Amino acid sequence: MTKRGKFITFEGCDGCGKSTQLKMLSDYLTQNGIAHIFTREPGGGKISEAIRDILLSGKNMEMTDECEALLYAASRVQHLSDRVEPALQEGKLVICDRYVDSSLAYQAYARGLGYEFISQINSFALKNYLPDVTIFIDLTPEAAFARKKGADQNDRLELAGMEFHKRVYAGYDALAKAEPNRIARIDGNKTPQEIFNDVITLLKERDCL
Ligand SMILES: Nc1ncnc2c1ncn2[C@@H]1O[C@H](COP(=O)(O)OP(=O)(O)OP(=O)(O)O)[C@@H](O)[C@H]1O
Ligand SMILES: [Mg+2]
């Protein structure tokens, strides 16, 4: 039987550098012949990408917080069946741009729906797939927004304002403190190459590479 692959997720505030690191990691894994898939949440498959469009559209400003939380969970369970589960069973490394900690940071902490409610919804959605390693790129929203030079006008979540993003950051900080064995904090203030070196060191330490 093939050994189950490792499941790695990247988390952090908008603009903290996740996509930059994922691209570098993708090149590294390809060069080193390591079987892997890259995917993202919300999205990563036909149905879950359609849910992503509803969630992120600037046209849906009247969406309730509860609807938002349930749509994220719905997208997650579909994405697990479509992409994550099969790849892990084939022994591949699965790298996912955002996962359950985004729901906890954004919906539980920043929207104020509470850890209990979001955990409960996600206990259905996760199908027992907790990441082996979660990399939290630790960068404050102030620093991230300075890099991005302001909010993307088409992104409903980015338009929610700095106070919201500060609560997201505080949420990630609390999650990282609560689960230090799973969630590894990497300093997002360094250069992309320095951060990438830290990512590789960590993944080797955690037996993922
Ligand atoms: N370590 C870094 N130092 C300086 N600039 C960086 C660094 N990492 C990324 N950037 C720049 O910051 C911006 C945001 O980075 P990136 O898109 O990787 O973040 P993200 O976490 O994927 O954002 P989002 O949450 O919006 O998807 C980009 O312009 C990128 O080039
Ligand atoms: Mg990104």
Side-chain angles (χ1 to χ4, degrees):
M1 213 178 98
T2 317
K3 198 171 159 228
R4 179 186 174 280
K6 299 272 186 181
F7 184 21
I8 299 162
T9 58
F10 277 73
E11 296 279 359
C13 292
D14 291 58
C16 69
K18 298 178 297 297
S19 297
T20 303
Q21 292 303 318
L22 287 161
K23 172 80 183 61
M24 293 169 87
L25 186 56
S26 169
D27 293 346
Y28 175 95
L29 294 172
T30 304
Q31 274 162 20
N32 288 277
I34 298 169
H36 67 279
I37 66 157
F38 271 90
T39 186
R40 68 171 183 179
E41 276 212 348
K46 188 181 62 149
I47 295 167
S48 32
E49 285 289 338
I51 299 174
R52 179 190 179 94
D53 290 343
I54 297 171
L55 277 164
L56 300 186
S57 168
K59 291 183 188 153
N60 292 332
M61 298 303 280
E62 72 275 31
M63 186 184 293
T64 67
D65 294 349
E66 289 80 1
C67 175
E68 179 185 81
L70 288 161
L71 282 178
Y72 273 113
S75 159
R76 181 159 299 132
V77 70
Q78 184 71 40
H79 172 248
L80 275 169
S81 295
D82 286 349
R83 300 217 58 203
V84 178
E85 213 167 24
L88 291 176
Q89 277 166 8
E90 287 165 20
K92 290 180 181 158
L93 199 61
V94 174
I95 320 272
C96 190
D97 190 348
R98 297 193 177 282
Y99 191 57
V100 66
D101 299 293
S102 287
S103 283
L104 291 166
Y106 284 76
Q107 276 72 53
Y109 287 91
R111 295 276 192 229
L113 292 177
Y115 187 89
E116 278 306 306
F117 175 58
I118 299 300
S119 296
Q120 261 178 27
I121 294 176
N122 278 283
S123 69
F124 293 102
L126 290 188
K127 302 175 71 177
N128 286 327
Y129 284 104
L130 258 193
D132 295 292
V133 181
T134 295
I135 294 177
F136 165 37
I137 302 183
D138 185 345
L139 188 74
T140 63
E142 291 93 331
F145 272 65
R147 280 181 189 167
K148 269 190 135 175
K149 300 187 184 69
D152 175 346
Q153 291 303 308
N154 295 315
D155 188 322
R156 197 175 57 85
L157 284 182
E158 291 202 6
L159 292 171
M162 188 50 79
E163 286 311 309
F164 175 79
H165 290 284
K166 285 186 185 168
R167 292 198 296 277
V168 171
Y169 179 77
Y172 275 125
D173 187 55
L175 292 167
K177 283 175 177 146
E179 282 192 74
N181 290 334
R182 174 173 66 86
I183 304 178
R185 191 189 292 261
I186 285 192
D187 183 358
N189 292 291
K190 299 181 184 177
T191 65
Q193 188 58 49
E194 287 169 334
I195 297 171
F196 183 65
N197 293 343
D198 290 345
V199 168
I200 295 297
T201 303
L202 175 86
L203 293 180
K204 284 183 175 164
E205 275 169 14
R206 299 291 182 95
D207 239 3
C208 293
L209 292 178

